[in-house]
Amino acid sequence: MMNRRQILATAAAAVLIAPLAVQAQGFPNKPVKVIVPFAPGGTTDIIARIMGERITPALGQTMLVENKAGGGGIIGANELAKSVPDGYTLGMATVSTVAANPAINPKTPYNPLTDFVPVINIAATPNVIAVHPSFPARDYKTFLEVLKKSPGRYSYATSGTGGIGHLQMELYKSLSGVFITHIPYRGAGPALNDTVAGQVPVIFDNLPSALPFIKDGRLIPIVVAAPQRLAVLPNVPTFKEIGLEPVNRMAFYGFVAPKGTPRDVVDKLGAAVRKTLEEPAVKKRIEETGSVIVANTPEQFAAQIKAEFEVYKKVVEVQKLALD
């Protein structure tokens, strides 16, 4: 038999658990907020807003997108980690926030493997190195020659220090033997604006946010990180083709919730996303950005996050990368 102390402890635990259980049963009964940890205009923002605009019929509630930029995605991701785990606050997880940045930044205030509950990986996208039309190269061979001829003369823009663009470009630099200076921004949107304006000559970006500028001729694509050549950029080689397979990694964008979010709430959210992604109009919009729809399970997404984190941790160790 339980003593009085055990009975009181059990009762207290039940009181704490009960509100989440009730919320799970009636979930969702108010709008769901999604924290995008980068400025508007980047791929993370684009994917989040496509979902936010189209998920209401499947979810039964509106989905509001809120941008919290800074720290290469750390500020927004940390806010999510500290949110109430009731399913009403989600975050967009990217390779930058749950792998690259935690791998290079020992002061990251959250653990990417334990402080979030993966919900669903929405899409994966190729990455691209692109240049301003004034840059003296239009193809990879000439690009490499220009950089090797003038080490330190050129700079490249990314969505932030410690992000996937930063670490992938640093890996590229170490493998190719070039030197080019990093200029970090508070998201892909601002980085693209300055590159398109000619203030920075080179950018490492996710393809969906860079593609409209490439199509308009305001950026010239040089090389892509993708499993094979892309239909939208048939003349642009992959990193694997140029002999740099370790750099040939795609980015991902998925929903994660704070640690402790009930599994049935996670399942409801995942089911709503999956149903939305089945809509031809949504599928078309995402695929038109150059992305591939993933729509996997929480367990599969957790395995992807762990694998990417380990890859970038090794990159940081082997290349002896550190924050400035």
Side-chain angles (χ1 to χ4, degrees):
M1 287 179 65
M2 288 195 295
N3 61 31
R4 188 169 180 273
R5 184 177 292 173
Q6 288 172 316
I7 291 168
L8 287 172
T10 304
V15 168
L16 288 172
I17 292 165
L20 284 181
V22 170
Q23 284 175 336
Q25 284 172 10
F27 180 86
N29 56 26
K30 61 180 181 179
V32 172
K33 180 174 81 172
V34 176
I35 297 172
V36 172
F38 299 103
T43 304
T44 316
D45 186 64
I46 292 168
I47 301 290
R49 289 183 188 280
I50 290 172
M51 294 310 303
E53 288 167 16
R54 302 303 295 257
I55 202 171
T56 301
L59 187 61
Q61 288 288 339
T62 54
M63 183 173 272
L64 311 172
V65 175
E66 187 177 299
N67 297 85
K68 287 273 179 177
I74 284 181
I75 289 172
N78 188 45
E79 181 171 318
L80 175 69
K82 291 176 169 51
S83 298
V84 178
D86 57 6
Y88 290 102
T89 305
L90 302 177
M92 285 294 285
T94 69
V95 175
S96 294
T97 60
V98 295
N101 232 317
I104 195 174
N105 187 353
K107 293 182 179 177
T108 301
Y110 56 83
N111 184 318
L113 307 183
T114 59
D115 285 341
F116 304 113
V117 176
V119 176
I120 185 168
N121 185 358
I122 298 167
T125 75
N127 297 308
V128 62
I129 291 180
V131 298
H132 185 267
S134 64
F135 189 84
R138 288 287 184 281
D139 57 64
Y140 179 72
K141 184 173 178 287
T142 316
F143 175 77
L144 185 63
E145 288 170 0
V146 168
L147 293 186
K148 287 203 165 183
K149 201 180 293 179
S150 307
R153 179 179 173 184
Y154 296 100
S155 56
Y156 74 97
T158 73
S159 61
T161 300
I164 182 176
H166 179 204
L167 260 64
Q168 272 192 297
M169 190 66 167
E170 291 300 317
L171 177 58
Y172 165 73
K173 283 164 60 175
S174 68
L175 295 175
S176 62
V178 302
F179 180 71
I180 177 170
T181 306
H182 181 219
I183 309 289
Y185 286 81
R186 290 172 64 86
L192 279 162
N193 290 340
D194 273 12
T195 310
V196 169
Q199 292 176 34
V200 185
V202 180
I203 188 167
F204 192 112
D205 191 27
N206 306 131
L207 183 66
S209 40
L211 191 58
F213 300 102
I214 290 170
K215 285 180 173 176
D216 288 348
R218 290 190 283 172
L219 287 177
I220 310 297
I222 298 297
V223 59
V224 296
Q228 59 272 322
R229 287 202 182 196
L230 304 170
V232 288
L233 300 174
N235 299 319
V236 181
T238 66
F239 280 101
K240 183 178 179 179
E241 283 182 74
I242 61 170
L244 299 175
E245 191 167 2
V247 195
N248 209 46
R249 307 188 70 80
M250 299 228 288
F252 62 63
Y253 310 89
F255 285 153
V256 291
K259 177 179 68 179
T261 303
R263 178 62 193 236
D264 53 351
V265 167
V266 168
D267 287 344
K268 282 184 180 181
L269 288 163
V273 172
R274 210 166 279 110
K275 192 173 179 185
T276 305
L277 290 171
E278 288 169 1
E279 283 185 40
V282 174
K283 191 170 183 285
K284 184 169 181 279
R285 278 182 69 187
I286 289 177
E287 290 178 346
E288 277 176 349
T289 68
S291 305
V292 177
I293 289 171
V294 180
N296 59 8
T297 67
E299 289 76 18
Q300 288 168 332
F301 193 19
Q304 283 183 311
I305 290 170
K306 188 171 187 289
E308 289 298 305
F309 179 59
E310 287 171 357
V311 162
Y312 286 105
K313 213 172 169 192
K314 192 172 180 185
V315 167
V316 168
E317 287 167 8
V318 171
Q319 307 304 334
K320 295 180 172 58
L321 298 176
L323 295 180
D324 296 332

